[in-house]
Structure formats: structure tokens, C-alpha cells
């Protein structure tokens, strides 16, 4: 019987056996912490400091989410990660007609500084690193966060965290955009500029491959499209006159971890090498500005509603891939998330998965433990080569913005998603419990439900806020914001002033809709 060929999910052929000859063409891998950082961005990696253990959480109201944050902190998370509901993500207050049915459903509803204060009540922002998964309105949520820090008397130079702020992948894969690409890029570079001067330890963007992968891309496409987007952001910042060696140190990335353990490890290693070379080509001379630092989340699209407890094993495999690949931060999904938002029990198990890897597995004890594996080194080289080919196509189309406008990236992701689903339906790709090893009994865990009255609750809060705030001051702030937007000045000071006067997220978003328009 002839040997059946095997391939990674990106279509890279896997040989039956790997030998030294498979890596003879590659140079000897450099030490961790050295350019191009294939083996990691720190010389001692996790021996010096473990990755930040985050749990992505947000639901219902700020009051309810705050309770979950205090629970997670008590269980050992070392960083918070905020999920926002859809109205917040696309710039609508909870009382807007288009918000009906979505308030508090896939994340927490944040309409004003008042909500943000409640969200972080009892949490000192100087003591915790916060990641906020928000893009089109990311600059407003950052302004809320800064305003709270100031109210706490915090030293802004000590505040750490990340705002996702990555709009290009929204056009390509996710859809929560508001403004057209050009003004959106302007807002992002305004954030870069303002944070360089006022929030030096804050990661100003988390260039995201996660949602590209969730939309159906391959591992190779994930890093190619993500790094191409990153290149576009860097070029926009340089055109604005910013110093690549300064803002480059505050760029971060956000990747997905799927089930093909070795391809995922190779993907992370290849991405570091590629980004270092991209930044050097763009003019970076400081090694820290060439380092690809990234957060990882286990694959939401890999979770199955069938036999949901199997997802604990999937999340463990994916977490191992992230740690073996050298992630700086990790979120592990709850096993029940294919059915509903994670219950407290599921979130606890997900966190324990990270802690087991950190303290019992021995994986963090040495830097890049899979380095030197004939298979891993060969696969890293092949993943990188395949990703460069895609980036060359994007460059030929005029860069990421142009490639998105022409539909190239969206079409490539859609085609990959279709091919992958075909393989599942034909049985070529086995998903345990879905198309093989199916169980007659399929017990589901008790669901986590959101109170349907949350929109009423949020609307009443908004009404009360608008009655007690200074109407004249809010109107003046919004008018100033319009003038700044029209003049081309950095809008961040005006946005921070507006949120401190209790202008709402929807009001600020609408103000800029008048100036920039909407992207359809």
C-alpha cells in the first residue's frame, strides 16, 4: 500500500521523516533575544518572566463584568482582557435603535466614563495590565481608560496594556468598522503619536491575525495578512513624521492558536523572523523596535458544541503551541464557548490550563525548546517562504489598504474557509465528535444567560447621566473635536476632554461620522 501524503492545514507537505539535510540550507539558528528573534524576543524567555495570563471577559453591564474581573484576579490572572458588546464596538450607545437585541450580549456595554469607572471599580490601573479588544472606537475606550487612571491619581507613565486599534482586519475579516480606511488610519496614527508622549508603556495597537484566522484563513495566510497590515500601519506612522525606533517598540500582535501543534509553533517562529526583517527594511535600527511581541488566544472557531468537554483538550494543545512558540500573553477559551459566553466554572478551568503548563509541564524551563528539531526548523522555513509570497502579492497590489479595497484579502480568506469546510464535510479532515467518534449522548453544560433587561438598565443610566452633566460643556467639547478632526490636528486631547465631560461613546462617534463619513 503506497504511503499516503500528509499536509499541514496550510497545504505544506509533511515528509515521513526529517533529517539534518532538511535544514542544511538554513543558517544555524541564532540565540533567543537576537535578531531576527526566531527563537524568542528574550534571551531567557519564561525563566525570567512567565507570559501574562489573561482571560478575555466582558458581558452584560459594567457591574456584572467587574464581579468577574475580581473573581479572575483572585484566581491568579495577571492581566485583564476586556470584551465589548457590538454597539460599543461600532459606536452606538445602548439606547440607539440599532443597539436593540445586542446590548451586553457578546461583551460588556460601555456608553460613558461612568460605565468605565464601574468596570474597573476596586482595581488599581497601575497594578494591572489591561488589553481591550476594540478597534473602530478603540481611541474612545483608551480615552475612558486614561480618564479613570487620572481620577485614580495614577502615573500615566506606569500604565501598561494594549488597545487592539487594528482597523484593517475589520475591513478584511470581521466587519466592526465605522469610518473609511483613510480617516481610520489617521485616527490610529493619532493614537500612536499621543501615546508616545503621554502613555509610553502602552501598546498602541495589537495587529490582529486572530480574527483573520477565525474567518477561515490558513496559518500561513494569518501571518502574511497580519504582517502586511502591520507594514501599512508603520508606513502611515512614518508618513506622519513619527520615529520608527520609538513607536515601533509599542507595536504588538495578536495571533490565533489552532490544533496543528507543530504548524502553529512554526508559524509563531516564522512571524518573529519576518517582522524583524520588515522593520529593518523600513528603517528601524533599534532591536527593540524590530521585536514581534504577541498575545495569543486559543481558537474560538475550533470549539465544538458537540461533546463540549473535548474542548478542554483542544485548548490545552493550542496553549502548548502558543507557549512553545514564545507568546508574551495568552488567553485560553472556556470549553463551553461554542454554546454561550463562558460560565465562571469554564473560565476557571481555562485559567488553570495555563497555570498547569506554567508550573507543572516543564515547558517554560528553557527557551524555544523545539529549536533544532529537523521538522520544526524545516517547517518554520517553509511557512516563512509561503508567507513572503503572499506579502509580495499584496505589495504588488499597492499594499494592504489597496488589497483590501480590491477584495483580494477577503477573497483569499473566503476561499480557504470554503476549502476547509469541504474537507470536514467529506471526512478528509477529522473533527472528533463532529464527523467521527460521534456519541449518541451529547450532554451540554448549563448555559450562561444574559439578562434581557440589560438594555433598559443601560438606557436608564444614560438618561440619568445626561440630566446631571453640564450640557453646555459637552456641546463645546464635541464642537472642538469636530474642528480638530477637520484641521488634521491630533484628536486624542479633544477626545479625552470630551469623555471627562461625560460625552458618550455614541456622541463622540457620531461627531466624527459627520466629518469622516461611514464606510459601506
Amino acid at each position: 500500500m503506497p504511503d499516503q501524503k500528509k499536509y499541514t492545514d496550510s497545504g505544506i507537505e509533511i515528509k515521513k521523516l526529517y533529517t539534518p539535510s532538511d535544514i542544511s540550507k538554513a543558517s544555524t539558528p541564532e540565540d533567543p533575544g537576537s535578531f531576527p528573534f526566531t527563537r524568542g524576543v528574550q534571551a531567557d524567555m519564561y525563566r525570567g518572566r512567565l507570559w501574562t495570563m489573561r482571560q478575555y471577559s466582558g458581558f452584560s453591564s459594567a457591574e456584572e463584568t467587574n464581579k468577574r474581573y475580581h473573581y479572575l484576579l483572585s484566581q491568579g490572572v495577571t492581566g485583564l482582557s476586556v470584551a465589548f458588546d457590538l454597539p460599543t464596538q461600532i459606536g452606538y450607545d445602548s439606547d440607539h435603535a440599532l443597539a436593540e437585541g445586542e446590548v451586553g450580549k457578546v461583551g460588556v456595554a460601555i456608553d460613558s466614563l461612568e460605565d468605565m469607572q464601574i468596570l474597573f471599580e476596586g482595581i488599581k490601573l497601575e497594578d494591572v495590565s489591561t488589553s481591550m479588544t476594540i478597534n473602530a472606537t478603540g481611541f474612545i475606550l483608551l480615552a475612558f481608560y486614561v480618564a479613570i487612571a487620572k481620577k485614580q491619581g495614577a502615573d500615566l507613565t506606569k500604565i501598561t496594556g494594549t488597545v487592539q486599534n487594528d482597523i484593517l482586519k475589520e475591513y478584511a475579516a470581521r466587519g466592526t468598522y465605522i469610518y473609511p480606511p483613510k480617516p481610520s488610519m489617521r485616527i490610529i496614527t493619532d493614537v500612536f503619536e499621543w501615546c508616545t508622549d503621554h502613555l509610553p508603556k502602552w501598546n498602541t495597537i495589537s495587529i490582529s491575525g486572530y480574527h483573520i484566522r477565525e474567518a477561515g484563513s490558513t496559518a500561513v495566510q494569518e501571518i502574511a495578512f497580519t504582517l502586511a497590515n502591520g507594514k501599512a500601519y508603520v508606513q502611515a506612522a512614518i508618513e506622519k513624521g513619527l520615529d520608527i525606533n520609538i513607536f515601533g517598540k509599542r507595536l504588538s500582535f495578536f495571533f490565533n492558536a489552532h490544533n496543528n501543534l507543530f504548524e502553529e509553533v512554526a508559524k509563531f517562529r516564522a512571524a518573529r523572523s519576518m517582522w524583524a526583517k520588515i522593520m529593518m527594511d523600513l528603517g528601524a535600527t533599534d532591536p527593540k523596535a524590530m521585536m514581534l511581541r504577541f498575545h495569543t488566544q486559543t481558537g474560538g472557531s475550533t470549539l465544538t458544541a458537540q461533546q463540549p468537554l473535548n474542548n478542554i483538550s483542544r485548548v490545552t494543545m493550542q496553549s502548548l503551541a502558543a507557549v512553545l512558540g514564545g507568546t508574551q500573553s495568552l488567553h485560553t477559551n472556556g470549553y463551553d464557548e461554542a454554546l454561550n459566553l463562558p460560565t465562571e466554572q469554564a473560565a476557571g478551568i481555562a485559567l488553570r490550563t495555563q497555570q498547569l503548563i506554567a508550573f507543572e509541564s516543564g515547558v517554560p524551563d528553557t527557551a524555544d525548546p523545539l529549536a533544532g528539531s529537523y521538522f520544526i526548523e524545516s517547517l518554520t522555513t517553509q511557512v516563512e517562504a509561503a508567507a513572503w509570497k503572499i506579502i509580495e502579492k499584496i505589495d504588488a497590489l499597492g499594499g494592504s489598504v489597496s488589497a483590501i479595497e480590491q477584495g483580494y484579502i477577503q477573497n483569499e480568506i473566503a476561499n480557504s474557509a470554503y476549502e476547509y469546510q469541504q474537507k470536514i464535510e467529506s471526512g478528509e479532515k477529522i473533527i472528533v465528535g463532529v464527523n467521527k467518534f460521534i456519541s449518541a449522548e451529547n450532554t451540554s453544560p448549563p448555559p450562561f444567560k444574559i439578562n434581557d433587561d440589560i438594555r433598559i438598565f443601560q438606557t436608564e443610566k444614560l438618561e440619568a447621566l445626561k440630566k446631571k452633566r453640564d450640557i453646555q460643556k459637552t456641546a463645546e467639547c464635541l464642537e472642538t473635536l469636530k474642528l480638530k478632526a477637520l484641521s488634521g490636528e491630533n484628536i486624542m486631547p479633544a477626545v479625552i476632554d470630551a469623555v471627562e465631560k461625560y460625552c458618550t461613546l455614541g456622541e463622540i462617534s457620531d461627531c466624527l461620522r459627520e466629518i469622516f463619513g461611514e464606510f459601506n
Side-chain angles (χ1 to χ4, degrees), residues 142 146 156-157 159 194-202 250:
L142 177 59
V146 168
L156 293 186
T157 66
I159 296 296
W194 187 86
C195 287
T196 296
D197 294 334
H198 301 280
L199 219 64
K201 290 188 176 181
W202 189 266
R250 300 315 328 162

Side-chain angles (χ1 to χ4, degrees), residues 369-477:
L370 294 184
S373 156
Y374 307 140
F375 180 35
I376 283 293
E377 296 295 352
S378 174
L379 191 53
T380 300
T381 301
Q382 288 180 285
V383 167
E384 181 171 343
W388 279 126
K389 287 182 180 178
I390 295 172
I391 290 178
E392 287 168 6
K393 288 182 185 177
I394 293 170
D395 286 344
L397 291 170
S400 277
V401 175
S402 179
I404 289 166
E405 289 174 341
Q406 295 175 56
Y408 167 72
I409 293 176
Q410 299 94 309
N411 289 338
E412 291 296 296
I413 294 170
N415 289 339
S416 292
Y418 178 70
E419 290 172 11
Y420 188 78
Q421 187 60 34
Q422 279 189 313
K423 289 177 182 177
I424 292 173
E425 292 180 9
S426 69
E428 181 182 345
K429 179 72 179 176
I430 293 172
I431 306 296
V432 174
V434 175
N435 63 359
K436 197 163 185 178
F437 312 113
I438 299 168
S439 174
E441 288 188 19
N442 194 20
T443 305
S444 296
F448 182 82
K449 292 185 177 180
I450 300 297
N451 190 331
D452 290 333
D453 294 334
I454 178 61
R455 185 168 187 253
I456 297 170
F457 176 66
Q458 285 295 117
T459 299
E460 289 174 350
K461 278 204 296 183
L462 273 168
E463 289 174 355
L465 174 70
K466 289 176 180 179
K467 285 178 182 177
K468 66 185 180 184
R469 69 184 184 177
D470 189 318
I471 298 174
Q472 184 177 344
K473 285 183 179 178
T474 57
E476 289 171 356
C477 287

Side-chain angles (χ1 to χ4, degrees), residues 176 183 222 288 327 341 364 467 491:
T176 63
E222 179 189 353
K288 289 186 178 179
T327 192
L341 290 170
K467 285 178 182 177
I491 65 170

Side-chain angles (χ1 to χ4, degrees), residues 351-364:
L351 175 60
R352 293 290 181 258
T353 300
Q354 293 198 51
Q355 292 165 338
L356 284 162
I357 292 171
F359 301 108
E360 296 189 25
S361 74
V363 170

Side-chain angles (χ1 to χ4, degrees), residues 214-495:
E214 289 292 284
S217 80
T218 66
V220 166
Q221 289 173 329
E222 179 189 353
I223 60 169
F225 296 150
T226 304
L227 298 182
N229 287 348
K231 186 176 177 181
Y233 292 126
V234 172
Q235 289 170 327
I238 291 171
E239 288 171 9
K240 194 179 180 72
L242 303 184
D243 186 339
I244 190 172
N245 286 317
I246 296 176
F247 76 79
K249 297 174 186 177
R250 300 315 328 162
L251 305 179
S252 65
F253 288 80
F254 175 24
F255 291 121
N256 208 310
H258 268 229
N259 291 330
N260 193 316
L261 183 97
F262 297 112
E263 183 176 42
E264 294 300 295
V265 173
K267 176 189 79 176
F268 296 133
R269 298 174 89 246
R272 271 194 298 272
S273 175
M274 293 174 72
W275 184 245
K277 295 165 187 172
I278 287 170
M279 289 296 277
M280 179 176 278
D281 288 345
L282 290 171
T285 55
D286 189 327
K288 289 186 178 179
M290 304 177 199
M291 292 179 179
L292 183 147
R293 297 165 298 111
F294 68 99
H295 169 70
T296 310
Q297 182 173 341
T298 56
S301 62
T302 68
L303 300 176
T304 64
Q306 302 92 330
Q307 301 177 25
L309 290 175
N310 292 344
N311 293 327
I312 296 174
S313 298
R314 291 188 178 99
V315 168
T316 303
M317 285 192 297
Q318 295 163 8
S319 301
L320 275 170
V323 174
L324 289 166
T327 192
Q328 277 63 64
S329 172
L330 178 60
H331 163 76
T332 34
N333 290 328
Y335 70 87
D336 56 357
E337 287 190 62
L339 300 163
N340 44 246
L341 290 170
T343 58
E344 192 169 278
Q345 181 210 40
I349 292 171
L351 175 60
R352 293 290 181 258
T353 300
Q354 293 198 51
Q355 292 165 338
L356 284 162
I357 292 171
F359 301 108
E360 296 189 25
S361 74
V363 170
D365 293 347
T366 188
D368 195 19
L370 294 184
S373 156
Y374 307 140
F375 180 35
I376 283 293
E377 296 295 352
S378 174
L379 191 53
T380 300
T381 301
Q382 288 180 285
V383 167
E384 181 171 343
W388 279 126
K389 287 182 180 178
I390 295 172
I391 290 178
E392 287 168 6
K393 288 182 185 177
I394 293 170
D395 286 344
L397 291 170
S400 277
V401 175
S402 179
I404 289 166
E405 289 174 341
Q406 295 175 56
Y408 167 72
I409 293 176
Q410 299 94 309
N411 289 338
E412 291 296 296
I413 294 170
N415 289 339
S416 292
Y418 178 70
E419 290 172 11
Y420 188 78
Q421 187 60 34
Q422 279 189 313
K423 289 177 182 177
I424 292 173
E425 292 180 9
S426 69
E428 181 182 345
K429 179 72 179 176
I430 293 172
I431 306 296
V432 174
V434 175
N435 63 359
K436 197 163 185 178
F437 312 113
I438 299 168
S439 174
E441 288 188 19
N442 194 20
T443 305
S444 296
F448 182 82
K449 292 185 177 180
I450 300 297
N451 190 331
D452 290 333
D453 294 334
I454 178 61
R455 185 168 187 253
I456 297 170
F457 176 66
Q458 285 295 117
T459 299
E460 289 174 350
K461 278 204 296 183
L462 273 168
E463 289 174 355
L465 174 70
K466 289 176 180 179
K467 285 178 182 177
K468 66 185 180 184
R469 69 184 184 177
D470 189 318
I471 298 174
Q472 184 177 344
K473 285 183 179 178
T474 57
E476 289 171 356
C477 287
L478 293 172
E479 189 60 34
T480 299
L481 178 57
K482 287 182 185 178
L483 293 173
K484 299 288 184 185
L486 286 166
S487 71
E489 293 177 68
N490 193 304
I491 65 170
M492 281 303 293
V495 175

